[in-house]
C-alpha cells in the first residue's frame, strides 16, 4: 500500500519569499514521486517527477524537490514566490508494484498556496 | 494545454440517473486513467485502461465502469447516481511506460441533485 501526507492544507507567503510545501510518502516498494499544480477550474499540470535518478529534481516555473529516502520526504521548494504561483499543489506517489496498483497515482490532500503582494 | 480533452465541461443529474463522461487521448497515448476529485480533496484513482483492457481499479463500486476505444479515447459510465458522486472527474493519459508522465484533462464537473 502507498500513501501521501501533505503537511499544511494552506500555506501563505509574501511575494519574493521562499516557498516550501511538505510531502511525506509511504510505500512498500521504491516509489516514483510527483508534484502537480492545479489552478482554479482546471486539470492538473505536472511540475516535476522523481523516478530514481538524481535525488534533486528540477521542474518548471523554478520549482524543485529533493527526494530523501531516510525521511520518506519529497518537499517542494521555490526560492522566490511569484503572484502567479498561487494555486493548489498536490504530491503523488506511484510504484512498480504489480496487479491492480500498476501505474496508479495516489495523491495527497493538497496544499493551497497563497501569495501576498 | 495537454492535448487531453474531456466532455462535457459541466453536468447536472439527479439521484438514480446514469451518466457518461468522455475523454480524448493525447496522440500516441495508449493508457488512460480516471480519477474522482471531491471538493477539497485530492484525486482518487477509479480505474485504468491499457489498449482497451482494464488493468487497474481503485476502491469504487461496480456501478463505475469504463471503456477504451481503438483510438484510445475513453468513457466513464456511472449508474444509479448518488449525491456523493458529485465531484470533478479527471482523465489522464500517458504513453504506457510506468514512469511516463500522466497528462490530465481539464475535468468534468458533475453535480448530483
Amino acid at each position: 500500500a502507498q500513501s501521501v501526507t501533505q503537511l499544511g492544507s494552506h500555506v501563505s507567503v509574501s511575494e519574493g519569499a521562499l516557498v516550501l510545501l511538505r510531502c511525506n510518502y509511504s510505500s512498500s516498494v521504491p516509489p516514483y514521486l510527483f508534484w502537480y499544480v492545479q489552478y482554479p477550474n482546471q486539470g492538473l499540470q505536472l511540475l516535476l517527477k522523481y523516478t530514481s535518478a538524481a535525488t534533486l529534481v528540477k521542474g518548471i516555473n523554478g520549482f524543485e524537490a529533493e527526494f530523501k529516502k531516510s525521511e520518506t520526504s519529497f518537499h517542494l521548494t521555490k526560492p522566490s514566490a511569484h503572484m502567479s504561483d498561487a494555486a493548489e499543489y498536490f504530491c503523488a506517489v506511484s510504484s512498480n508494484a504489480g496487479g491492480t496498483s500498476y501505474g496508479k497515482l495516489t495523491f495527497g490532500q493538497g496544499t493551497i498556496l497563497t501569495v501576498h503582494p | 494545454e495537454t492535448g487531453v480533452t474531456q466532455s462535457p465541461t459541466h453536468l447536472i443529474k439527479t439521484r438514480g440517473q446514469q451518466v457518461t463522461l468522455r475523454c480524448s487521448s493525447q496522440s500516441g497515448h495508449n493508457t488512460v486513467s480516471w480519477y474522482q476529485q471531491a471538493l477539497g480533496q485530492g484525486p482518487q484513482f477509479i480505474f485504468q485502461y491499457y489498449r482497451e483492457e482494464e488493468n487497474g481499479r481503485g476502491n469504487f463500486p461496480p456501478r463505475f465502469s469504463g471503456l477504451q476505444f481503438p483510438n484510445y479515447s475513453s468513457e466513464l459510465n456511472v449508474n444509479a447516481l448518488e449525491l456523493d458522486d458529485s465531484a470533478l472527474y479527471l482523465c489522464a493519459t500517458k504513453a504506457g511506460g510506468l514512469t511516463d508522465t500522466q497528462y490530465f484533462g481539464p475535468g468534468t464537473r458533475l453535480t448530483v441533485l
Side-chain angles (χ1 to χ4, degrees):
Chain A
Q2 51 194 25
S3 66
V4 172
T5 301
Q6 291 184 237
L7 299 175
S9 59
H10 290 81
V11 170
S12 181
V13 300
S14 298
E15 192 174 19
L18 170 71
V19 175
L20 171 60
L21 304 182
R22 299 179 186 273
C23 171
N24 288 90
Y25 69 91
S26 172
S27 177
S28 57
V29 296
Y32 304 119
L33 295 158
F34 307 79
W35 275 100
Y36 282 87
V37 61
Q38 187 176 35
Y39 297 98
N41 301 313
Q42 294 188 26
L44 282 79
Q45 179 184 9
L46 181 71
L47 284 176
L48 49 81
K49 64 180 180 182
Y50 166 77
T51 58
S52 74
T55 56
L56 182 61
V57 181
K58 295 187 184 298
I60 63 171
N61 301 337
F63 285 94
E64 63 181 38
E66 186 172 8
F67 172 69
K68 292 187 176 180
K69 184 178 179 180
S70 61
E71 299 177 8
T72 61
S73 69
F74 190 57
H75 301 330
L76 181 70
T77 60
K78 181 174 180 178
S80 177
H82 192 272
M83 296 295 287
S84 61
D85 295 327
E88 188 162 18
Y89 292 79
F90 291 94
C91 182
V93 63
S94 180
S95 77
N96 61 0
T100 58
S101 297
Y102 189 83
K104 152 189 169 182
L105 287 173
T106 299
F107 287 87
Q109 294 286 81
T111 298
I112 295 173
L113 175 66
T114 303
V115 182
H116 297 287
Chain B
E1 290 291 327
T2 64
V4 180
T5 61
Q6 292 187 244
S7 62
T9 305
H10 295 87
L11 203 52
I12 299 175
K13 292 286 188 179
T14 56
R15 197 168 44 181
Q17 286 188 310
Q18 178 267 343
V19 68
T20 297
L21 310 182
R22 295 178 175 82
C23 172
S24 292
S25 174
Q26 184 164 319
S27 177
H29 288 187
N30 56 20
T31 302
V32 63
S33 299
W34 285 90
Y35 292 82
Q36 180 195 67
Q37 185 179 18
L39 202 60
Q41 304 289 321
Q44 298 283 321
F45 176 74
I46 302 175
F47 44 56
Q48 176 175 278
Y49 279 79
Y50 171 67
R51 294 186 175 178
E52 304 178 56
E53 296 285 333
E54 183 182 300
N55 74 337
R57 190 175 183 92
N59 294 325
F60 281 81
R63 60 188 185 85
F64 285 78
S65 63
L67 281 174
Q68 187 181 31
F69 300 99
N71 67 354
Y72 301 136
S73 65
S74 175
E75 286 182 355
L76 164 65
N77 298 289
V78 187
N79 294 322
L81 284 167
E82 300 177 359
L83 297 180
D84 285 348
D85 296 333
S86 295
L88 180 67
Y89 288 85
L90 297 163
C91 76
T93 73
K94 65 176 184 174
L98 178 62
T99 60
D100 287 353
T101 297
Q102 293 197 31
Y103 292 92
F104 283 81
T108 293
R109 173 73 63 187
L110 172 65
T111 302
V112 182
L113 302 176

